[in-house]
Amino acid sequence: MALPGAPAPAPAAAPVPPPPPTVLMAVRAGLARPSRLPPLPAAAALRLQLSVEPEAGGQRRFRLGLRHPEAAGGANVAEYDLKDISYKVRSPTCHELTVLGSSDEPMVFNFEEEREAQKWWTIVSSSLREVQKASDSTLASQASSLPAAAGGVSADQDPEAALSLELSEKEDLALHLAQAIEYGDEEVASQCAVALARQQATLSILLKESNYPTDDISMKVGVEDATSSASITIRVRAHTTIATLKQQVFQDYGFHPLVQRWIIGQCLCVDERTVSSYGIRKDGDTAFLYLLSAKMAELTEQRYEEDQAQVMLSSTSSLTDAAGERRKYNTLPNMSPKKGWGNEAGRKMDIGEISQHLDTLQIGDLFSAQPKPAATSLPSPVPTGWSCPKCTFINKPTRPGCEMCSTDRPEDYVVPGSYKPDETELWRMQQEQEGILQYQQALEAERLKNFQQLLQLEEEVLVPNREVLECRICYQRVAPGEGVLLRECLHNFCRECLRQVINYSEEPEVACPFRDDSYACSSHLQEREIRALVSPEEYRRFLERSLVLAERRSQNSFHCKTTDCRGWCIYEDSVNEFRCPICQALNCLLCKAIHEGKNCRQYQDDLQVQAQNDSAARQTNDMLQTLVQIGEAMHCPTCLIIVQKKDGCDWIRCTVCQTEICWVTKGPRWGPGGPGDTSGGCRCNVNGQRCHPRCQNCH
């Protein structure tokens, strides 16, 4: 009894009726009549019907029903749960159904058309896989809930349990990582990331939808294939990925994701990125959808039908709770008057209507057996232009590159002679010509500027370095302007190192000092560079050394015999005397001596008599012969005087004829051509070989 003043109990709410089952597909098939089924009319065919209905816990129940034809009343003959039957394909037009746990013979269905039987099997096989997945998930949850004492095993003994534990730990770490990043805890986020990296866990890190604006966006989409174009409008959100967008178009219009190529902001979109990352942020933003042929996308008929069946199955889960929520992301196509589109404002276009305006439907190219709806208007003419090999966009004939993705025009394409560009294209072509002219003018101005800079550098004595460099001799850092760029080889060195190279050079031409393990520069410093790098006194000494070296390397040279005189000459065979222009002494070229007042015979007789009566001269001659015999002295291979090496390397020079000598081979260092001629001499270091086993490799 209710207390006085208490409100009356509310009437019990009426139970909510369960939603009706959704019919996935129905086909006609003949049945080999088993005795347990009620008799059927003669020559009658059954209607096979596959349906799905939601159950508690988010599960779905698939049922296969056998019904009379509509003409016979459509009554239900039998109905089976998919988990209780076995369904097999015996031939392209013959299927077999067996009830599990029953002793009855299998039921055999015969289909009139092979294509219809294949579609039916695609839907049934997809549903059977869904049932199997749900069954496996239920068994796994039941097994995990059993205690260890009831027959369960520990994770140490069962590999599956160990794997499950490892996955659980990885999920916890990933969850903690996401929470740490969300709360800004860098230390915890770092620890979780390190732990996941050590386990080499495969992650997919995406921003939550809460990070994006929640407003719907009306995105304009230009749809094109190889021959036609159309325009539609799709409602998306900022967090919609390109992959989701492809699935949305596949579900609403029937274009498979493999044939879709999305271009937004002249970028070929990838599946993982969102539309907002490509610039879709407000109503009216434009995207382009290019449709490839099924052959080009390598899309088979079986793949298309299986994926379409999967989409159909997945869409049934939203019929009971979220059908309206999903539909608000798929809006009516935007009619383009110039394309001849005409449909009602409150109705979404179907695949048939789009195929009328996209003259050759891409999927229909492969599945030509399916009948197409008749077009209500004449097909649009094939546009003039070249098709982009990358994105298939039809460009104007005169465009050098694709307007969408900037791909170059095919080289074998020829602009039709009868083509007349419109005003917009003429303006673009004029802008291109003006741009080319401006580019040529800028290029010519840059060339003139570079030429003037080269002339200015040519007038300068030394070319300074413009950037910081490291001298390859002293390995010191050289600031801009403090180094020198050699003109002949463009190698950089500091000024002081080059000055030292000039002062210690024994050659009249100073070689570039650049050396490394595989290359030695063969260029030389110019005369003006040498004069600018050294002081006047150093330059005078350099010239004197050059003159001395020139005298040494001249075959018919003769130096004045006056002590400390620098005079010398180059004589001819017909000349026997040389008057020194410095000391004015008369030198005999035959006797190699000064003997004014005597002829050559008189001078040589006096010299022999003097040597016979001089004991000191004899002792000196005997000592030199002994040194030659023991190997501490040798005869010059050119003038035959005795030369001796006191210390140092194996390279020596005769003090009389200035011949360069190899000490270990007792022969000339170079061939007849002089320094650098390896056709003769000791040939040291030619092909990496030393000239003698005792060679010190120092010449």
Side-chain angles (χ1 to χ4, degrees), residues 70-256:
E70 295 292 342
N76 191 15
V77 176
E79 191 171 22
Y80 306 98
D81 200 312
L82 283 191
K83 65 182 180 180
D84 298 332
I85 66 171
S86 172
Y87 197 91
K88 299 180 181 180
V89 176
R90 297 179 58 181
S91 70
T93 58
C94 182
H95 295 180
E96 181 181 274
L97 184 150
T98 303
V99 180
L100 301 177
S102 175
S103 59
D104 296 333
E105 294 182 359
M107 287 178 280
V108 179
F109 304 106
N110 296 317
F111 297 86
E112 296 180 358
E113 296 183 4
E114 180 179 343
R115 186 179 187 84
E116 188 174 23
Q118 183 179 358
K119 286 186 176 181
W120 169 255
W121 166 245
T122 300
I123 300 297
V124 172
S125 61
S126 300
S127 303
L128 287 172
R129 286 195 294 269
E130 290 290 329
V131 172
Q132 184 63 34
K133 290 179 182 179
S135 177
D136 294 343
S137 175
T138 304
L139 292 176
S141 61
Q142 291 176 355
S144 61
S145 63
L146 293 177
V153 294
S154 63
D156 296 336
Q157 298 175 352
D158 189 359
E160 294 184 0
L163 178 61
S164 177
L165 180 60
E166 181 182 355
L167 291 176
S168 178
E169 293 177 354
K170 290 181 180 179
E171 291 178 357
D172 291 341
L173 286 173
L175 180 59
H176 293 161
L177 174 61
Q179 293 176 348
I181 294 176
E182 183 176 359
Y183 297 137
D185 193 338
E186 298 180 2
E187 181 178 357
V188 175
S190 176
Q191 294 175 357
C192 295
V194 169
L196 289 170
R198 289 174 179 173
Q199 299 183 30
Q200 297 182 347
T202 304
L203 302 179
S204 176
I205 301 178
L206 299 173
L207 293 175
K208 290 184 177 180
E209 297 180 4
S210 58
N211 292 280
Y212 298 91
T214 58
D215 298 337
D216 295 344
I217 302 174
S218 295
M219 181 176 67
K220 293 184 178 180
V221 181
V223 186
E224 294 191 6
D225 66 356
T227 58
S228 304
S229 62
S231 185
I232 61 175
T233 300
I234 299 179
R235 294 191 66 83
V236 296
R237 287 190 175 180
H239 59 76
T240 302
T241 62
I242 300 300
T244 304
L245 185 60
K246 289 182 178 180
Q247 289 294 333
Q248 179 177 335
V249 172
F250 182 35
Q251 182 174 349
D252 293 340
Y253 299 108
F255 297 113
H256 196 277

Side-chain angles (χ1 to χ4, degrees), residues 552 636 639 641-644 652-659 661:
R552 291 175 179 175
C636 174
C639 65
I641 69 167
I642 298 176
V643 294
Q644 182 181 9
I652 61 176
R653 189 194 300 271
C654 178
T655 58
V656 175
C657 64
Q658 307 301 324
T659 299
I661 304 171

